[in-house]
Amino acid sequence: MGGITLTIITHKASSLNYGETVGNVSILKKVTLGDGTQKTFVSDKALKYDMRRKGKEEKGWKLLDELLKEYIEKSQKDGKLDVDEFGRNLVENYEEFDLFGGLFTNLKDKKNKEVSLSYGDSVKRVCAVKVTYAFSVSDFKGDMNFLNNIDAYNRYIKHIEGKKAQAIAQTEEHTSHYVYTITIDLDRVGVWEKEDGTREPILDPQKRAKRVKDLLDIVMTLNRQIKGRWENLSPVFVVGGLFGTKHPFFMNAVDASEMNGRLFLQIDRLRDAIDMVPENERSKVKIGMLSGIFINEEDIKSKLQAKSIGELFRELKQEVDNYYGVSEG
């Protein structure tokens, strides 16, 4: 048994996830804490969307699409959809389904006729990769941005759309580092779980390792595209590792605050979290840091033996190969 958990502080990024629009004002997603302060957040759905996007663009991942109809057709036996056959096909052919799971109800064939299932009332897969919300390090202070399209309006919009006035809008704005946790159940990747709970390997170890390493590459260079902007969500700090105990050890244990444009990391809190890792696995804890970000950088290096972000991910990918019993590649 084994799993990866990583808790990450991202680069500074601006206005990453909007929710409801009230009138002409775009509202950022945020939560209010017990002391009355507010933190903006990026939902797990938004983070996974950009992970899948990068997987398709950079790693050739196949995302769930209309071709599912073909898998429904070829997985039918005796007038029913063979759930296990259907699940095996999706795990093998769709990285999205394998890593991030899925739920299908009311499945229909090419003739739009509802399909009966060999068991259960749905086809479901528990996600092997789980992602938390990413919460801002700094507090939200209610900053706003006034927007208009006066340049485009004067040049062409009023001529081709016949509008009599420019468009006015406002958006809430917040720039901050963000903290989130990602966990990967290595035993579920490339495996189909049957109704009785038994697991059937679908991919060979080399392909299982590749899918996990591709995901780690994506996390290391994660970014978000929103409202015409690129925002960098790659890590400036990472703590985690590959452990036999599947647990997000460092969720809520990475406490950083911003001071004069740089971060200060609470080292003692993190060391207490490291002490909760089983003693025989404590040496597997890895810490990576980007230079020049933290005020107490020297303390982090000396007390936590922090290494570079790139070195941490290279070591972790090697451990993934070792876990699946394959050579590096």
Side-chain angles (χ1 to χ4, degrees):
M1 292 180 61
I4 292 172
T5 182
L6 298 173
T7 296
I8 292 168
I9 303 178
T10 74
H11 274 271
K12 271 189 177 181
S14 298
S15 306
L16 293 173
N17 207 178
Y18 287 94
E20 194 72 28
T21 296
V22 180
N24 67 342
V25 180
S26 296
I27 307 298
L28 284 171
K29 292 187 177 183
K30 48 189 160 323
V31 294
T32 303
L33 305 183
D35 60 2
T37 60
Q38 288 187 321
K39 302 286 187 181
T40 56
F41 69 85
V42 190
S43 72
D44 59 321
K45 282 78 175 174
L47 290 173
K48 286 187 280 189
Y49 170 84
D50 281 300
M51 290 176 186
R52 294 193 301 266
R53 172 184 58 80
K54 282 176 66 69
K56 180 179 180 180
E57 293 173 355
E58 300 174 6
K59 302 296 183 180
W61 283 4
K62 190 174 180 183
L63 305 186
L64 296 169
D65 55 19
E66 71 278 5
L67 295 181
L68 285 174
K69 288 269 189 178
E70 297 181 8
Y71 291 98
I72 292 173
E73 292 295 322
K74 70 181 184 181
S75 299
Q76 291 191 57
K77 295 179 181 178
D78 300 323
K80 291 187 175 183
L81 179 73
D82 185 326
V83 172
D84 289 329
E85 180 66 17
F86 184 60
R88 285 192 289 264
N89 283 328
L90 297 194
V91 168
E92 180 178 2
N93 294 290
Y94 288 96
E95 287 86 354
E96 176 183 8
F97 185 74
D98 184 23
L99 296 175
F100 297 101
L103 174 66
F104 300 98
T105 60
N106 303 317
L107 289 169
K108 296 180 180 180
D109 60 19
K110 288 185 176 180
K111 297 178 181 179
N112 211 34
K113 181 181 177 182
E114 191 163 329
V115 177
S116 298
L117 306 183
S118 60
Y119 64 79
D121 58 4
S122 62
V123 179
K124 56 182 177 290
R125 175 171 176 77
V126 176
C127 54
V129 178
K130 293 180 171 63
V131 182
T132 67
Y133 286 12
F135 289 99
S136 64
V137 169
S138 62
D139 298 338
F140 175 67
K141 299 294 187 179
D143 294 318
M144 302 284 291
N145 185 16
F146 179 83
L147 305 170
N148 66 73
N149 66 339
I150 186 63
D151 176 54
Y153 176 78
N154 285 333
R155 286 189 291 111
Y156 58 87
I157 290 175
K158 67 180 178 181
H159 302 293
I160 65 172
E161 296 186 16
K163 291 185 177 180
K164 295 183 179 181
Q166 62 176 303
I168 301 296
Q170 295 189 75
T171 59
E172 291 187 330
E173 298 289 337
H174 187 214
T175 298
S176 176
H177 297 275
Y178 285 80
V179 181
Y180 74 97
T181 296
I182 180 171
T183 59
I184 308 170
D185 188 336
L186 297 177
D187 300 314
R188 275 200 163 101
V189 175
V191 170
W192 173 247
E193 191 166 349
K194 299 181 181 179
E195 182 183 28
D196 61 6
T198 59
R199 293 177 177 176
E200 178 184 353
I202 305 302
L203 302 179
D204 62 43
Q206 197 85 32
K207 290 181 179 178
R208 295 175 74 187
K210 183 179 186 305
R211 285 191 178 176
V212 175
K213 291 187 294 182
D214 283 350
L215 178 61
L216 292 174
D217 284 341
I218 289 166
V219 170
M220 188 171 66
T221 60
L222 187 62
N223 54 61
R224 182 151 171 76
Q225 298 179 29
I226 182 170
K227 292 186 179 293
R229 295 179 278 111
W230 283 86
E231 296 292 342
N232 185 1
L233 295 180
S234 60
V236 299
F237 180 85
V238 185
V239 57
L242 194 165
F243 307 106
T245 304
K246 298 175 184 178
H247 182 73
F249 291 105
F250 309 105
M251 185 189 300
N252 301 322
V254 174
D255 184 10
S257 53
E258 192 169 353
M259 300 178 180
N260 299 320
R262 298 177 71 188
L263 291 176
F264 179 85
L265 181 72
Q266 296 289 346
I267 294 176
D268 289 341
R269 181 172 176 178
L270 187 53
R271 291 171 78 175
D272 287 345
I274 293 172
D275 283 342
M276 295 183 66
V277 178
E279 188 172 356
N280 64 325
E281 295 194 294
R282 215 164 288 163
S283 62
K284 298 179 181 179
V285 175
K286 300 181 185 301
I287 295 174
M289 178 184 62
L290 187 68
S291 296
I293 301 294
F294 293 89
I295 295 173
N296 54 338
E297 179 176 326
E298 293 306 315
D299 280 345
I300 296 171
K301 287 180 177 178
S302 61
K303 295 180 179 179
L304 299 175
Q305 290 76 55
K307 57 192 70 177
S308 72
I309 300 288
E311 184 180 359
L312 181 148
F313 276 91
R314 284 192 294 272
E315 289 181 2
L316 194 54
K317 288 197 289 184
Q318 180 60 62
E319 290 184 8
V320 169
D321 279 332
N322 294 340
Y323 184 84
Y324 288 118
V326 300
S327 59
E328 185 176 1

